[in-house]
Amino acid sequence: METESLSLGDTRPQASEENSRDTLAGVYDTLSGIYAFFRRARILTSILLTLGIMAAIAAAFGANPVTVAWAIVRNSVSRQLVLGETIMAASVLALTGLAAAIPFTARLWNIGGEGQMFAGAIASVILGLTLPENIAPVPFILILIIGGGLGGAIWGLIPGLLKAYFNVSEIVTSLMLNFVAIWASSFVVNVAFSNVYSQMRTLSIHENARFPVFWETADVDIGVFIALGAALVAWLMLARTSLGFSIRAIGSNPNAARLAGVKTRKVTVSAFVAAGFAGGLAGSVAIQEILNYTLAADFWLYNYGYLGIAVALLARLNPLAILPGAFLFSALKVGSNSLLATAGVSSSLGNVLIATFLILLLVTGVIQSRTSQAQASQ
Amino acid sequence: MSRDVVIALFASGLGLMVPILLASLGEILCEQAGVLNVGIEGTMLFGGATFAAVGAYYDNLAVAMLAGALAGAVVGVILSALYVRRGTDQIVTGLLFTIFALGVTGTLSAQLLGGKTASTLTPWKFPLIGRIPGFGEVIKQNQLFWITLLLVVAVHYLLRRTWWGLHLRAVGEQPHAASSAGLNVWRLRYSALILGNALVALGGATLVAASSGRFFTESTAGRGYIALGVVVVARWNPYGALAVSWLFGISQALRSAAEQIAFLDPVPVDFWSALPYIVTIIAVLVSRGSRYPAAVGIPWREPSTSRRK
């Protein structure tokens, strides 16, 4: 007893220090616990970091971050008309997302979604303007859809063939073809089918070639179903067919796939053609409700092709997951369109938002680097 | 096709070459160290925007240029944290970074610049040889053209004649061997990315400085990506990049020259705009024997830290 009290007495001068050490250790434990939690909850961390960075950027440009966030939400989903706009843009983004996701699965870097979309848009517009007006709506629309898809497929075929048979970097070729397609569209808009009433646009396509609008108050046309259908077909193709198996095999280990008898060249070309077809469909959807039945000269400012890559990555290349991913990014994009009027910052902030979020997902490892996976397996 | 047209074509080809050449030099440094910097387009955007922003408020060309290059160095630090330190996928990160740059520079130019312009580069006439007919007009270029030529020599010297360059190339080919030999792979790649991106950003700044002095997000128009092709065709040789970039400069200059050449007049102007990109595809196709440094695109992890997930 005595010794105990003595020892208690002895330690008294140090008690406060010990206490504080305990508190410090407690704080440290809590902090490292929080740190460990955020390391594990990587998606949450990415979202919070994105919000933080965006708030800082918005504040740096002299806008109130809360106003900006609220404006984006309000202008993307709150009213039927903007919701419809978001849904239509999401359809295009889902299709360009597929154009990236299919080849990415085989570790083929198709960055030409933009060009494939433009090729599809050009093909659709030309068909919609030059074919006789009196074709019935159903076949006319089918011609436009398939024609657009084929236009994109041809555009995708070029980098596919060059990669498969000449081993030319598909990154460079598919990127360059984007610009070629954009300038081709400029020719179509300004020279070949120029509109005397409104510059920067082609003439409007024939009535019978227009997609029917099934949700009148929101201006949503059947392009949505093209996106849904394409995502389903792409998922079935990748998950259930031998072509899809080959694509996945090349993606996980090209050498093993080749040794196992996968015809690498044929699969490479097929993946690019499939991607191009999806990209072409995006173009043929875009010229309908979104561009008001014309091809517009400033269409490339939308960056739908490049944002498709972001969508594909967010969905971890899963065609079905691309649909919600496309909706999210479309809402961010459409919501930020009117930021200048509502919150006093440039609408370019939408791109910053999407890119920051994805880069953080990459950094936190939510989106795995496919190259390092393959490296590890070798 | 008169003599004047040819001279004008050569001269403006040399002028248009400068941004692409600077971007290519920067990319050569990055790729020789084993990093494929697809974010090059974004770096050019940052360089151009920074130049325009500083130039609009502070009327000194050299300072604005240096600010542009400095912005590139900062971008290099950020990118090396992503590419090198975190080992994220270089192609994907680069593309996302470009989208990021499009957004940030677009916001920046809309918010800060409005209609303000920076001062622009003016052609500089040589005192004596500038009088030689023909040749004089061709070499009547702005100051940055001559600086760029010096930079070509400097980059070549750095890569081929210094220890740093030798180490850099070792790291780009065999990072594991280089690491075993005691080289710091990370530090070498950081330095290459910082220096390389500074050069790329200088290219972006030139783009703005040599035109109207106003920054548009459209102003780069894929020149960074063209540089990716130039590097392959030039086989990572700075002098090669000089020659190839000049070809691209001429293919761009054809757009304005074609109006004055009778038999080229019926060709639509959009074709000439698309020509540099088509030339890139063909050039990369023709030089397909060209081999990337072995470690390009592959993130490197220090072996001892690999067990720590």
Side-chain angles (χ1 to χ4, degrees):
Chain A
M1 272 307 271
E2 218 177 50
T3 46
E4 214 167 74
S5 72
L6 196 74
S7 74
L8 257 177
D10 272 347
T11 52
R12 185 168 289 164
Q14 294 167 347
S16 66
E17 198 181 305
E18 195 131 287
N19 254 345
S20 75
R21 202 179 295 149
D22 279 354
T23 340
L24 263 181
V27 167
Y28 178 78
D29 279 350
T30 325
L31 280 181
S32 59
I34 292 172
Y35 177 72
F37 169 75
F38 279 114
R39 267 199 81 105
R40 230 171 294 127
R42 293 179 296 196
I43 297 178
L44 181 69
T45 313
S46 309
I47 292 174
L48 290 177
L49 278 174
T50 309
L51 289 177
I53 291 175
M54 290 316 297
I57 291 179
F61 286 117
N64 181 349
V66 181
T67 322
V68 171
W70 180 234
I72 289 178
V73 173
R74 209 181 39 204
N75 292 313
S76 59
V77 289
S78 72
R79 279 170 295 126
Q80 286 202 10
L81 207 60
V82 284
L83 180 62
E85 201 183 328
T86 303
I87 291 174
M88 287 318 298
S91 312
V92 176
L93 277 182
L95 288 165
T96 54
L98 292 176
I102 297 169
F104 277 27
T105 307
R107 285 174 64 209
L108 296 165
W109 304 105
N110 176 29
I111 308 168
E114 184 93 8
Q116 287 141 21
M117 178 179 70
F118 266 91
I122 292 170
S124 295
V125 159
I126 291 179
L127 287 172
L129 284 168
T130 54
L131 288 178
E133 272 179 66
N134 51 8
I135 304 177
V138 174
F140 206 159
I141 288 168
L142 280 177
I143 290 173
L144 234 66
I145 294 171
I146 294 168
L150 288 179
I154 291 170
W155 219 246
L157 182 67
I158 302 169
L161 284 177
L162 292 178
K163 171 72 182 179
Y165 293 94
F166 300 101
N167 199 22
V168 176
S169 161
E170 74 280 17
I171 302 171
V172 175
T173 51
S174 62
L175 256 171
M176 290 299 121
L177 283 171
N178 289 345
F179 295 97
V180 177
I182 290 172
W183 283 111
S185 85
S186 155
F187 176 71
V188 169
V189 171
N190 296 317
V191 184
F193 297 97
S194 59
N195 185 341
V196 279
Y197 303 109
S198 135
Q199 281 189 337
M200 314 285 288
R201 284 183 175 281
T202 59
L203 300 162
S204 302
I205 57 172
H206 298 322
E207 287 285 343
N208 285 357
R210 298 182 185 180
F211 286 3
V213 174
F214 67 90
W215 182 6
E216 292 285 347
T217 45
D219 276 344
V220 174
D221 67 29
I222 57 161
V224 182
F225 298 115
I226 297 179
L228 293 174
L232 194 65
V233 170
W235 179 76
L236 282 174
M237 191 268 280
L238 282 178
R240 294 280 184 274
T241 66
S242 66
L243 173 63
F245 180 77
S246 309
I247 287 177
R248 284 184 287 129
I250 293 178
S252 50
N253 193 333
N255 288 327
R258 206 185 53 242
L259 291 173
V262 173
K263 292 194 176 66
T264 318
R265 287 179 169 174
K266 246 173 84 182
V267 175
T268 300
V269 175
S270 311
F272 265 98
V273 168
F277 197 88
L281 289 179
S284 115
V285 171
I287 61 149
Q288 301 279 344
E289 182 52 49
I290 296 173
L291 294 178
N292 231 337
Y293 310 105
T294 60
L295 183 56
D298 61 350
F299 181 41
W300 63 278
L301 289 174
Y302 291 59
N303 289 318
Y304 282 149
Y306 294 111
L307 290 174
I309 296 167
V311 169
L313 290 170
L314 180 72
R316 295 191 190 185
L317 311 185
N318 177 347
L320 292 181
I322 277 178
L323 295 169
F327 186 82
L328 174 68
F329 282 178
S330 164
L332 291 177
K333 186 92 180 136
V334 172
S336 53
N337 273 347
S338 48
L339 273 184
L340 198 58
T342 50
V345 279
S346 161
S347 56
S348 308
L349 218 58
N351 278 346
V352 187
L353 197 63
I354 291 172
T356 311
F357 182 46
L358 271 167
I359 290 175
L360 286 168
L361 285 182
L362 271 175
V363 169
T364 51
V366 176
I367 302 172
Q368 283 292 327
S369 142
R370 299 184 68 81
T371 27
S372 62
Q373 268 173 15
Q375 214 58 33
S377 69
Q378 270 169 18
Chain B
M1 196 146 112
S2 69
R3 192 174 140 275
D4 288 351
V5 175
V6 178
I7 290 170
L9 189 66
F10 273 41
S12 58
L14 280 177
L16 290 165
M17 164 190 88
V18 175
I20 298 179
L21 179 55
L22 282 168
S24 308
L25 289 178
E27 186 68 19
I28 286 174
L29 282 177
C30 297
E31 290 188 13
Q32 290 270 299
V35 178
L36 182 67
N37 182 17
V38 185
I40 184 169
E41 181 89 359
T43 311
M44 284 185 97
L45 284 170
F46 271 117
T50 311
F51 168 81
V54 173
Y57 291 96
Y58 192 79
D59 192 24
N60 185 326
L61 256 175
V63 170
M65 278 288 170
L66 282 177
L70 195 68
V74 173
V75 165
V77 173
I78 297 170
L79 283 178
S80 49
L82 297 170
Y83 292 146
V84 185
R85 189 84 211 178
R86 292 296 309 177
T88 57
D89 190 283
Q90 292 165 14
I91 295 164
V92 166
T93 313
L95 281 171
L96 291 176
F97 176 74
T98 302
I99 296 178
F100 176 79
L102 265 177
V104 172
T105 56
T107 315
L108 186 83
S109 61
Q111 301 288 124
L112 280 183
L113 294 179
K116 288 203 186 71
T117 55
S119 48
T120 53
L121 291 163
T122 42
W124 182 48
K125 205 169 174 194
F126 262 88
L128 252 173
I129 48 173
R131 299 236 189 96
I132 303 170
F135 185 69
E137 280 107 74
V138 170
I139 62 162
K140 193 180 165 198
Q141 303 288 348
N142 58 43
Q143 302 91 316
L144 213 77
F145 171 82
W146 302 106
I147 294 175
T148 305
L149 288 190
L150 290 180
L151 283 173
V152 172
V153 180
V155 170
H156 185 268
Y157 181 83
L158 268 179
L159 278 174
R160 305 280 155 171
R161 297 279 181 276
T162 64
W163 283 108
W164 182 75
L166 183 69
H167 292 164
L168 207 64
R169 286 182 288 139
V171 161
E173 290 287 347
Q174 292 287 346
H176 288 288
S179 171
S180 307
L183 299 181
N184 188 332
V185 178
W186 278 348
R187 198 180 298 161
L188 280 162
R189 287 192 172 170
Y190 287 158
S191 54
L193 270 168
I194 292 169
L195 194 58
N197 276 296
L199 285 175
V200 173
L202 192 63
T206 322
L207 211 53
V208 179
S211 58
S212 62
R214 274 193 72 177
F215 173 79
F216 303 99
T217 48
E218 304 91 275
S219 57
T220 53
R223 279 186 183 75
Y225 299 130
I226 287 184
L228 283 180
V230 168
V231 170
V232 176
V233 179
R235 305 196 175 205
W236 295 269
N237 182 331
Y239 292 121
L242 174 68
V244 179
S245 307
W246 188 34
L247 271 181
F248 282 100
I250 289 180
S251 77
Q252 281 184 311
L254 266 173
R255 182 182 164 153
S256 45
E259 290 167 12
Q260 288 148 29
I261 305 172
F263 70 94
L264 290 179
D265 203 33
V267 181
V269 66
D270 296 313
F271 172 77
W272 299 114
S273 306
L275 187 66
Y277 309 105
I278 300 172
V279 170
T280 311
I281 296 175
I282 295 170
V284 175
L285 175 64
V286 169
S287 66
R288 64 177 195 273
S290 159
R291 186 188 64 86
Y292 272 96
V296 159
I298 303 164
W300 186 76
R301 292 241 168 276
E302 207 164 356
S304 57
T305 58
S306 59
R307 66 195 155 78
R308 205 187 68 198
K309 174 89 182 19

